[in-house]
Amino acid sequence: MKRKIINSFIILSTSSAITKLFSMLNRILLARILPMEALSLFILVMPSLSMCITLGQLGIPSAIFRLIANPTYQNKKVMITGCIISSISCFFISIGLILFAPYISNSLLHNKEAYLPLVCLAIYIPFIGVSGILKNYFLAKENIYLIAKAQLIEEIMRLLFICVTLVNIQNNDNSILVSIAVMSMIVGELFGIIYMFIRLSNKPKYFFELLPNFKEHLIVKQIMSIALPVTGSRLYHSLVSFLEPIILLSILSSRLSSSQIQYQYAIINGFVLSLLITPTFFNNVIYRIFLPIVTRDVVTNNYKNIHSHLLLALLGSFSISIPFTCLFYFFPETCLSFLYNTTEGASYLQYLSIPFILFYLQTPLSAVIHALNKNKIIFAISFIECSIEIVLTYVLASTYGVFSIAISLLVGTILTLFLSVLTIFYFVYLKSRY
């Protein structure tokens, strides 16, 4: 089993590294093509996308993974129900975002140029909904290599679209430039979906069928019992991310202009923190490999295997974090200059690199808690974490400015790690003795 895990990790890590390389190329290209004002606008509207995606998906992809991986449920019933619920929710959230885009851009974000990018983000939501369902289907089937190839296709098509449009465009309107950047995300997602549908050609045709006994194939209660707690925790987290720039704009506007606040927010949230979470694509590989395995261990009550697999996953996450931490600590200017063509925020990157190791260790712990199906505990931990983060951001913003986001994130990460360890210790180590 360990050899299989290691082989899977090597294969998927290699393919994911290639995918991440193209993702980095996209970021590098955007940082060099877009003016700083446009890049700041792009980063400013992203929290709105995160919240709308959470509302649109309603946790359905996670529920599909859990139920498809469980042999007691029929794939047909799971997929039909999941697709219907996700389609309806994505449709209404997209319409809602279009209707409220003027209010969000003018009253909340204090930037009228955000309107058109928000409308483009509304178009993006149904695509990410379909993609999430397909990826979690293949993830439950442990076809993680196919997911990596789909993501690679997404990044390549996004890169090509950016090269064809943004490189040659002469328009200096920030709203238009950011909207094109968002459209590149839609194009990439579309081609990834097409590839996954093609790979489903030999699968059952229930993805496209409307059966006469349609209602008999709906398992809404089972799906929503998993999806809603997941949605609750993710929604609150997305809401906090959405409120962060709004809080900063309201508190700091007395001494800084909106453009200055957006610029500083882009440095912290868009440059420093996004660079710090770059190594998490390896952690996502561990999560994808580890979750189906530990789910089977939980179903069979094989606690001894859970112990060994968790230890292996933690060691893997820690080992991966070390070289990146050293790179960010000793060469912060080089890292920022290479990716974003700026050295702004280098000191922040250096300060945060070492304590951020704790962030990487959370991935295998979260996988175990999800496998244990402790949805209420997951929601409680997420609620506590996000509440602490938003309160700290509000309290510290007047003193530390935009850097209060990084401070609150670290405090929330430490608290989440502590609560996750307590949960696993109780349900895996203590209860396994009785």
mmCIF file of all heavy atoms in Angstrom, residues 5 8-9 12-13 16 139 144 279-294 309-310 312-321 360-361 363-365 367:
data_model
loop_
_atom_site.group_PDB
_atom_site.id
_atom_site.type_symbol
_atom_site.label_atom_id
_atom_site.label_comp_id
_atom_site.label_asym_id
_atom_site.label_seq_id
_atom_site.Cartn_x
_atom_site.Cartn_y
_atom_site.Cartn_z
ATOM 1 N N ILE A 5 1.007 4.306 -2.699
ATOM 2 C CA ILE A 5 0.811 5.708 -2.334
ATOM 3 C C ILE A 5 1.962 6.558 -2.858
ATOM 4 O O ILE A 5 1.760 7.637 -3.429
ATOM 5 C CB ILE A 5 0.682 5.854 -0.802
ATOM 6 C CG1 ILE A 5 -0.584 5.167 -0.314
ATOM 7 C CG2 ILE A 5 0.674 7.327 -0.398
ATOM 8 C CD1 ILE A 5 -0.719 5.133 1.195
ATOM 9 N N SER A 8 1.804 6.855 -6.663
ATOM 10 C CA SER A 8 0.731 7.774 -7.040
ATOM 11 C C SER A 8 1.134 9.215 -6.773
ATOM 12 O O SER A 8 0.847 10.118 -7.567
ATOM 13 C CB SER A 8 -0.553 7.437 -6.266
ATOM 14 O OG SER A 8 -0.997 6.141 -6.569
ATOM 15 N N PHE A 9 1.822 9.425 -5.652
ATOM 16 C CA PHE A 9 2.252 10.777 -5.312
ATOM 17 C C PHE A 9 3.253 11.304 -6.329
ATOM 18 O O PHE A 9 3.177 12.456 -6.758
ATOM 19 C CB PHE A 9 2.871 10.787 -3.909
ATOM 20 C CG PHE A 9 3.416 12.127 -3.506
ATOM 21 C CD1 PHE A 9 2.564 13.130 -3.099
ATOM 22 C CD2 PHE A 9 4.779 12.386 -3.553
ATOM 23 C CE1 PHE A 9 3.053 14.373 -2.735
ATOM 24 C CE2 PHE A 9 5.284 13.624 -3.192
ATOM 25 C CZ PHE A 9 4.418 14.616 -2.780
ATOM 26 N N LEU A 12 1.334 11.945 -9.756
ATOM 27 C CA LEU A 12 0.440 13.090 -9.695
ATOM 28 C C LEU A 12 1.197 14.373 -9.393
ATOM 29 O O LEU A 12 0.830 15.447 -9.887
ATOM 30 C CB LEU A 12 -0.636 12.845 -8.641
ATOM 31 C CG LEU A 12 -1.794 13.851 -8.614
ATOM 32 C CD1 LEU A 12 -2.451 13.942 -9.980
ATOM 33 C CD2 LEU A 12 -2.809 13.478 -7.561
ATOM 34 N N SER A 13 2.247 14.290 -8.589
ATOM 35 C CA SER A 13 3.041 15.483 -8.284
ATOM 36 C C SER A 13 3.711 16.023 -9.539
ATOM 37 O O SER A 13 3.772 17.235 -9.750
ATOM 38 C CB SER A 13 4.097 15.170 -7.224
ATOM 39 O OG SER A 13 3.508 14.850 -6.003
ATOM 40 N N SER A 16 1.012 17.552 -11.662
ATOM 41 C CA SER A 16 0.535 18.777 -11.006
ATOM 42 C C SER A 16 1.581 19.881 -11.071
ATOM 43 O O SER A 16 1.245 21.061 -11.179
ATOM 44 C CB SER A 16 0.167 18.490 -9.557
ATOM 45 O OG SER A 16 -0.892 17.574 -9.466
ATOM 46 N N LEU A 139 -12.311 12.031 -9.030
ATOM 47 C CA LEU A 139 -11.534 11.916 -7.797
ATOM 48 C C LEU A 139 -12.035 10.747 -6.966
ATOM 49 O O LEU A 139 -11.235 9.982 -6.402
ATOM 50 C CB LEU A 139 -11.635 13.220 -6.996
ATOM 51 C CG LEU A 139 -10.929 13.267 -5.635
ATOM 52 C CD1 LEU A 139 -9.433 13.004 -5.790
ATOM 53 C CD2 LEU A 139 -11.162 14.608 -4.956
ATOM 54 N N ILE A 144 -7.093 10.296 -10.505
ATOM 55 C CA ILE A 144 -6.530 11.614 -10.231
ATOM 56 C C ILE A 144 -5.618 12.097 -11.362
ATOM 57 O O ILE A 144 -5.429 13.301 -11.546
ATOM 58 C CB ILE A 144 -5.755 11.596 -8.893
ATOM 59 C CG1 ILE A 144 -4.822 10.395 -8.840
ATOM 60 C CG2 ILE A 144 -6.706 11.570 -7.721
ATOM 61 C CD1 ILE A 144 -4.091 10.221 -7.539
ATOM 62 N N PRO A 279 2.999 26.394 -2.676
ATOM 63 C CA PRO A 279 3.350 24.985 -2.441
ATOM 64 C C PRO A 279 2.160 24.094 -2.125
ATOM 65 O O PRO A 279 2.325 22.865 -2.105
ATOM 66 C CB PRO A 279 4.296 25.062 -1.228
ATOM 67 C CG PRO A 279 4.771 26.463 -1.180
ATOM 68 C CD PRO A 279 3.666 27.284 -1.717
ATOM 69 N N THR A 280 0.996 24.676 -1.871
ATOM 70 C CA THR A 280 -0.137 23.837 -1.486
ATOM 71 C C THR A 280 -0.639 22.958 -2.623
ATOM 72 O O THR A 280 -1.469 22.082 -2.388
ATOM 73 C CB THR A 280 -1.313 24.707 -0.986
ATOM 74 O OG1 THR A 280 -1.663 25.669 -1.989
ATOM 75 C CG2 THR A 280 -0.939 25.441 0.288
ATOM 76 N N PHE A 281 -0.135 23.174 -3.849
ATOM 77 C CA PHE A 281 -0.561 22.254 -4.912
ATOM 78 C C PHE A 281 -0.004 20.860 -4.648
ATOM 79 O O PHE A 281 -0.618 19.854 -4.994
ATOM 80 C CB PHE A 281 -0.158 22.775 -6.295
ATOM 81 C CG PHE A 281 1.272 22.540 -6.689
ATOM 82 C CD1 PHE A 281 1.634 21.408 -7.397
ATOM 83 C CD2 PHE A 281 2.254 23.466 -6.367
ATOM 84 C CE1 PHE A 281 2.949 21.205 -7.781
ATOM 85 C CE2 PHE A 281 3.555 23.274 -6.753
ATOM 86 C CZ PHE A 281 3.917 22.130 -7.455
ATOM 87 N N PHE A 282 1.156 20.772 -3.970
ATOM 88 C CA PHE A 282 1.650 19.465 -3.535
ATOM 89 C C PHE A 282 0.763 18.905 -2.431
ATOM 90 O O PHE A 282 0.494 17.709 -2.384
ATOM 91 C CB PHE A 282 3.091 19.586 -3.027
ATOM 92 C CG PHE A 282 4.121 19.627 -4.113
ATOM 93 C CD1 PHE A 282 4.923 20.739 -4.295
ATOM 94 C CD2 PHE A 282 4.316 18.543 -4.957
ATOM 95 C CE1 PHE A 282 5.880 20.784 -5.293
ATOM 96 C CE2 PHE A 282 5.271 18.572 -5.964
ATOM 97 C CZ PHE A 282 6.060 19.694 -6.132
ATOM 98 N N ASN A 283 0.318 19.777 -1.530
ATOM 99 C CA ASN A 283 -0.578 19.340 -0.469
ATOM 100 C C ASN A 283 -1.911 18.864 -1.036
ATOM 101 O O ASN A 283 -2.519 17.926 -0.507
ATOM 102 C CB ASN A 283 -0.819 20.478 0.521
ATOM 103 C CG ASN A 283 0.448 20.884 1.253
ATOM 104 O OD1 ASN A 283 1.316 21.535 0.687
ATOM 105 N ND2 ASN A 283 0.578 20.501 2.506
ATOM 106 N N ASN A 284 -2.370 19.505 -2.105
ATOM 107 C CA ASN A 284 -3.596 19.059 -2.751
ATOM 108 C C ASN A 284 -3.428 17.669 -3.359
ATOM 109 O O ASN A 284 -4.371 16.877 -3.386
ATOM 110 C CB ASN A 284 -4.007 20.049 -3.833
ATOM 111 C CG ASN A 284 -4.454 21.378 -3.259
ATOM 112 O OD1 ASN A 284 -4.910 21.449 -2.121
ATOM 113 N ND2 ASN A 284 -4.314 22.446 -4.032
ATOM 114 N N VAL A 285 -2.224 17.393 -3.837
ATOM 115 C CA VAL A 285 -1.934 16.042 -4.332
ATOM 116 C C VAL A 285 -2.054 15.037 -3.190
ATOM 117 O O VAL A 285 -2.666 13.965 -3.335
ATOM 118 C CB VAL A 285 -0.512 15.989 -4.951
ATOM 119 C CG1 VAL A 285 -0.130 14.549 -5.265
ATOM 120 C CG2 VAL A 285 -0.446 16.840 -6.203
ATOM 121 N N ILE A 286 -1.469 15.375 -2.053
ATOM 122 C CA ILE A 286 -1.564 14.502 -0.878
ATOM 123 C C ILE A 286 -3.021 14.308 -0.486
ATOM 124 O O ILE A 286 -3.455 13.193 -0.165
ATOM 125 C CB ILE A 286 -0.752 15.100 0.293
ATOM 126 C CG1 ILE A 286 0.744 15.065 -0.036
ATOM 127 C CG2 ILE A 286 -1.027 14.351 1.595
ATOM 128 C CD1 ILE A 286 1.615 15.721 1.017
ATOM 129 N N TYR A 287 -3.792 15.388 -0.518
ATOM 130 C CA TYR A 287 -5.210 15.312 -0.142
ATOM 131 C C TYR A 287 -5.964 14.365 -1.077
ATOM 132 O O TYR A 287 -6.752 13.531 -0.620
ATOM 133 C CB TYR A 287 -5.816 16.714 -0.195
ATOM 134 C CG TYR A 287 -7.260 16.789 0.245
ATOM 135 C CD1 TYR A 287 -7.591 16.979 1.578
ATOM 136 C CD2 TYR A 287 -8.296 16.678 -0.685
ATOM 137 C CE1 TYR A 287 -8.915 17.057 1.989
ATOM 138 C CE2 TYR A 287 -9.618 16.755 -0.285
ATOM 139 C CZ TYR A 287 -9.917 16.951 1.044
ATOM 140 O OH TYR A 287 -11.223 17.011 1.446
ATOM 141 N N ARG A 288 -5.713 14.504 -2.374
ATOM 142 C CA ARG A 288 -6.426 13.675 -3.348
ATOM 143 C C ARG A 288 -6.084 12.198 -3.217
ATOM 144 O O ARG A 288 -6.931 11.331 -3.438
ATOM 145 C CB ARG A 288 -6.111 14.162 -4.765
ATOM 146 C CG ARG A 288 -6.710 15.517 -5.096
ATOM 147 C CD ARG A 288 -6.212 16.014 -6.439
ATOM 148 N NE ARG A 288 -6.805 17.311 -6.793
ATOM 149 C CZ ARG A 288 -6.479 18.006 -7.859
ATOM 150 N NH1 ARG A 288 -5.552 17.533 -8.691
ATOM 151 N NH2 ARG A 288 -7.048 19.160 -8.110
ATOM 152 N N ILE A 289 -4.840 11.911 -2.878
ATOM 153 C CA ILE A 289 -4.434 10.519 -2.705
ATOM 154 C C ILE A 289 -4.884 9.990 -1.357
ATOM 155 O O ILE A 289 -5.351 8.854 -1.229
ATOM 156 C CB ILE A 289 -2.904 10.390 -2.844
ATOM 157 C CG1 ILE A 289 -2.463 10.768 -4.259
ATOM 158 C CG2 ILE A 289 -2.436 8.989 -2.504
ATOM 159 C CD1 ILE A 289 -0.965 10.821 -4.431
ATOM 160 N N PHE A 290 -4.780 10.836 -0.354
ATOM 161 C CA PHE A 290 -4.984 10.416 1.026
ATOM 162 C C PHE A 290 -6.455 10.233 1.378
ATOM 163 O O PHE A 290 -6.826 9.301 2.099
ATOM 164 C CB PHE A 290 -4.333 11.460 1.950
ATOM 165 C CG PHE A 290 -4.427 11.158 3.409
ATOM 166 C CD1 PHE A 290 -3.988 9.950 3.925
ATOM 167 C CD2 PHE A 290 -4.955 12.094 4.284
ATOM 168 C CE1 PHE A 290 -4.069 9.673 5.280
ATOM 169 C CE2 PHE A 290 -5.038 11.832 5.639
ATOM 170 C CZ PHE A 290 -4.599 10.612 6.136
ATOM 171 N N LEU A 291 -7.336 11.119 0.865
ATOM 172 C CA LEU A 291 -8.739 11.098 1.262
ATOM 173 C C LEU A 291 -9.467 9.798 0.896
ATOM 174 O O LEU A 291 -10.150 9.220 1.759
ATOM 175 C CB LEU A 291 -9.468 12.310 0.667
ATOM 176 C CG LEU A 291 -10.919 12.502 1.110
ATOM 177 C CD1 LEU A 291 -11.026 12.561 2.628
ATOM 178 C CD2 LEU A 291 -11.500 13.768 0.499
ATOM 179 N N PRO A 292 -9.364 9.291 -0.348
ATOM 180 C CA PRO A 292 -10.037 8.014 -0.626
ATOM 181 C C PRO A 292 -9.500 6.866 0.218
ATOM 182 O O PRO A 292 -10.261 5.981 0.640
ATOM 183 C CB PRO A 292 -9.741 7.785 -2.123
ATOM 184 C CG PRO A 292 -9.384 9.118 -2.663
ATOM 185 C CD PRO A 292 -8.717 9.845 -1.549
ATOM 186 N N ILE A 293 -8.196 6.876 0.487
ATOM 187 C CA ILE A 293 -7.592 5.801 1.271
ATOM 188 C C ILE A 293 -8.087 5.826 2.712
ATOM 189 O O ILE A 293 -8.505 4.805 3.274
ATOM 190 C CB ILE A 293 -6.051 5.912 1.230
ATOM 191 C CG1 ILE A 293 -5.547 5.681 -0.192
ATOM 192 C CG2 ILE A 293 -5.401 4.915 2.183
ATOM 193 C CD1 ILE A 293 -4.074 5.969 -0.378
ATOM 194 N N VAL A 294 -8.050 6.998 3.336
ATOM 195 C CA VAL A 294 -8.464 7.092 4.734
ATOM 196 C C VAL A 294 -9.972 6.930 4.866
ATOM 197 O O VAL A 294 -10.461 6.466 5.911
ATOM 198 C CB VAL A 294 -7.990 8.429 5.350
ATOM 199 C CG1 VAL A 294 -8.846 9.584 4.889
ATOM 200 C CG2 VAL A 294 -7.989 8.364 6.877
ATOM 201 N N HIS A 309 -1.213 6.086 7.893
ATOM 202 C CA HIS A 309 -1.425 6.941 6.726
ATOM 203 C C HIS A 309 -1.389 8.421 7.103
ATOM 204 O O HIS A 309 -0.859 9.247 6.349
ATOM 205 C CB HIS A 309 -2.769 6.599 6.066
ATOM 206 C CG HIS A 309 -2.780 5.256 5.403
ATOM 207 N ND1 HIS A 309 -3.918 4.500 5.248
ATOM 208 C CD2 HIS A 309 -1.771 4.531 4.845
ATOM 209 C CE1 HIS A 309 -3.614 3.371 4.625
ATOM 210 N NE2 HIS A 309 -2.321 3.363 4.368
ATOM 211 N N LEU A 310 -1.945 8.767 8.264
ATOM 212 C CA LEU A 310 -1.913 10.157 8.713
ATOM 213 C C LEU A 310 -0.482 10.610 8.980
ATOM 214 O O LEU A 310 -0.080 11.715 8.597
ATOM 215 C CB LEU A 310 -2.758 10.323 9.975
ATOM 216 C CG LEU A 310 -2.751 11.715 10.612
ATOM 217 C CD1 LEU A 310 -3.230 12.769 9.627
ATOM 218 C CD2 LEU A 310 -3.609 11.739 11.871
ATOM 219 N N LEU A 312 2.225 9.414 7.621
ATOM 220 C CA LEU A 312 2.895 9.524 6.328
ATOM 221 C C LEU A 312 2.509 10.829 5.621
ATOM 222 O O LEU A 312 3.361 11.521 5.046
ATOM 223 C CB LEU A 312 2.528 8.321 5.451
ATOM 224 C CG LEU A 312 3.205 8.228 4.077
ATOM 225 C CD1 LEU A 312 4.716 8.093 4.230
ATOM 226 C CD2 LEU A 312 2.642 7.050 3.285
ATOM 227 N N ALA A 313 1.223 11.183 5.684
ATOM 228 C CA ALA A 313 0.758 12.406 5.034
ATOM 229 C C ALA A 313 1.324 13.656 5.710
ATOM 230 O O ALA A 313 1.700 14.619 5.049
ATOM 231 C CB ALA A 313 -0.770 12.451 5.048
ATOM 232 N N LEU A 314 1.398 13.647 7.039
ATOM 233 C CA LEU A 314 1.962 14.782 7.763
ATOM 234 C C LEU A 314 3.449 14.957 7.455
ATOM 235 O O LEU A 314 3.923 16.077 7.257
ATOM 236 C CB LEU A 314 1.756 14.599 9.270
ATOM 237 C CG LEU A 314 0.340 14.820 9.797
ATOM 238 C CD1 LEU A 314 0.236 14.388 11.253
ATOM 239 C CD2 LEU A 314 -0.065 16.284 9.652
ATOM 240 N N LEU A 315 4.176 13.840 7.415
ATOM 241 C CA LEU A 315 5.599 13.917 7.080
ATOM 242 C C LEU A 315 5.791 14.429 5.652
ATOM 243 O O LEU A 315 6.709 15.216 5.386
ATOM 244 C CB LEU A 315 6.248 12.538 7.241
ATOM 245 C CG LEU A 315 6.435 12.042 8.677
ATOM 246 C CD1 LEU A 315 6.952 10.607 8.693
ATOM 247 C CD2 LEU A 315 7.397 12.950 9.439
ATOM 248 N N GLY A 316 4.928 13.981 4.741
ATOM 249 C CA GLY A 316 5.021 14.451 3.365
ATOM 250 C C GLY A 316 4.753 15.940 3.255
ATOM 251 O O GLY A 316 5.483 16.662 2.568
ATOM 252 N N SER A 317 3.718 16.421 3.961
ATOM 253 C CA SER A 317 3.387 17.851 3.920
ATOM 254 C C SER A 317 4.508 18.691 4.526
ATOM 255 O O SER A 317 4.857 19.757 3.997
ATOM 256 C CB SER A 317 2.081 18.105 4.686
ATOM 257 O OG SER A 317 1.001 17.445 4.070
ATOM 258 N N PHE A 318 5.085 18.221 5.624
ATOM 259 C CA PHE A 318 6.165 18.963 6.271
ATOM 260 C C PHE A 318 7.416 18.993 5.392
ATOM 261 O O PHE A 318 8.070 20.034 5.255
ATOM 262 C CB PHE A 318 6.486 18.335 7.622
ATOM 263 C CG PHE A 318 7.571 19.045 8.384
ATOM 264 C CD1 PHE A 318 7.318 20.252 9.015
ATOM 265 C CD2 PHE A 318 8.847 18.508 8.454
ATOM 266 C CE1 PHE A 318 8.318 20.918 9.706
ATOM 267 C CE2 PHE A 318 9.860 19.160 9.141
ATOM 268 C CZ PHE A 318 9.593 20.365 9.772
ATOM 269 N N SER A 319 7.742 17.858 4.789
ATOM 270 C CA SER A 319 8.934 17.783 3.934
ATOM 271 C C SER A 319 8.809 18.705 2.730
ATOM 272 O O SER A 319 9.784 19.330 2.300
ATOM 273 C CB SER A 319 9.155 16.339 3.462
ATOM 274 O OG SER A 319 9.324 15.470 4.568
ATOM 275 N N ILE A 320 7.598 18.795 2.184
ATOM 276 C CA ILE A 320 7.378 19.662 1.032
ATOM 277 C C ILE A 320 7.520 21.129 1.412
ATOM 278 O O ILE A 320 8.031 21.949 0.641
ATOM 279 C CB ILE A 320 5.979 19.391 0.440
ATOM 280 C CG1 ILE A 320 5.954 18.013 -0.239
ATOM 281 C CG2 ILE A 320 5.577 20.472 -0.557
ATOM 282 C CD1 ILE A 320 4.572 17.529 -0.579
ATOM 283 N N SER A 321 7.090 21.477 2.618
ATOM 284 C CA SER A 321 7.089 22.881 3.030
ATOM 285 C C SER A 321 8.489 23.438 3.277
ATOM 286 O O SER A 321 8.716 24.643 3.109
ATOM 287 C CB SER A 321 6.254 23.047 4.303
ATOM 288 O OG SER A 321 6.884 22.418 5.407
ATOM 289 N N TYR A 360 0.513 24.420 5.911
ATOM 290 C CA TYR A 360 0.666 23.241 5.057
ATOM 291 C C TYR A 360 0.284 21.955 5.784
ATOM 292 O O TYR A 360 -0.151 20.988 5.156
ATOM 293 C CB TYR A 360 2.112 23.133 4.553
ATOM 294 C CG TYR A 360 2.644 24.396 3.914
ATOM 295 C CD1 TYR A 360 3.898 24.897 4.235
ATOM 296 C CD2 TYR A 360 1.891 25.102 2.988
ATOM 297 C CE1 TYR A 360 4.395 26.061 3.657
ATOM 298 C CE2 TYR A 360 2.365 26.269 2.408
ATOM 299 C CZ TYR A 360 3.616 26.746 2.742
ATOM 300 O OH TYR A 360 4.093 27.897 2.175
ATOM 301 N N LEU A 361 0.455 21.922 7.105
ATOM 302 C CA LEU A 361 0.152 20.714 7.871
ATOM 303 C C LEU A 361 -1.344 20.485 8.032
ATOM 304 O O LEU A 361 -1.757 19.392 8.427
ATOM 305 C CB LEU A 361 0.811 20.796 9.264
ATOM 306 C CG LEU A 361 2.333 20.850 9.297
ATOM 307 C CD1 LEU A 361 2.815 20.963 10.743
ATOM 308 C CD2 LEU A 361 2.948 19.621 8.636
ATOM 309 N N THR A 363 -3.643 20.271 5.754
ATOM 310 C CA THR A 363 -4.265 19.491 4.683
ATOM 311 C C THR A 363 -4.571 18.045 5.085
ATOM 312 O O THR A 363 -5.722 17.600 4.951
ATOM 313 C CB THR A 363 -3.381 19.512 3.423
ATOM 314 O OG1 THR A 363 -3.231 20.856 2.981
ATOM 315 C CG2 THR A 363 -4.009 18.688 2.309
ATOM 316 N N PRO A 364 -3.600 17.247 5.564
ATOM 317 C CA PRO A 364 -3.944 15.867 5.947
ATOM 318 C C PRO A 364 -4.892 15.790 7.131
ATOM 319 O O PRO A 364 -5.704 14.862 7.210
ATOM 320 C CB PRO A 364 -2.577 15.245 6.279
ATOM 321 C CG PRO A 364 -1.661 16.385 6.527
ATOM 322 C CD PRO A 364 -2.161 17.501 5.678
ATOM 323 N N LEU A 365 -4.826 16.756 8.044
ATOM 324 C CA LEU A 365 -5.751 16.760 9.182
ATOM 325 C C LEU A 365 -7.185 16.979 8.701
ATOM 326 O O LEU A 365 -8.119 16.317 9.172
ATOM 327 C CB LEU A 365 -5.352 17.847 10.180
ATOM 328 C CG LEU A 365 -3.959 17.725 10.815
ATOM 329 C CD1 LEU A 365 -3.694 18.909 11.742
ATOM 330 C CD2 LEU A 365 -3.826 16.420 11.592
ATOM 331 N N ALA A 367 -8.350 16.202 5.794
ATOM 332 C CA ALA A 367 -8.776 15.001 5.070
ATOM 333 C C ALA A 367 -9.325 13.953 6.025
ATOM 334 O O ALA A 367 -10.340 13.306 5.740
ATOM 335 C CB ALA A 367 -7.609 14.438 4.266
#
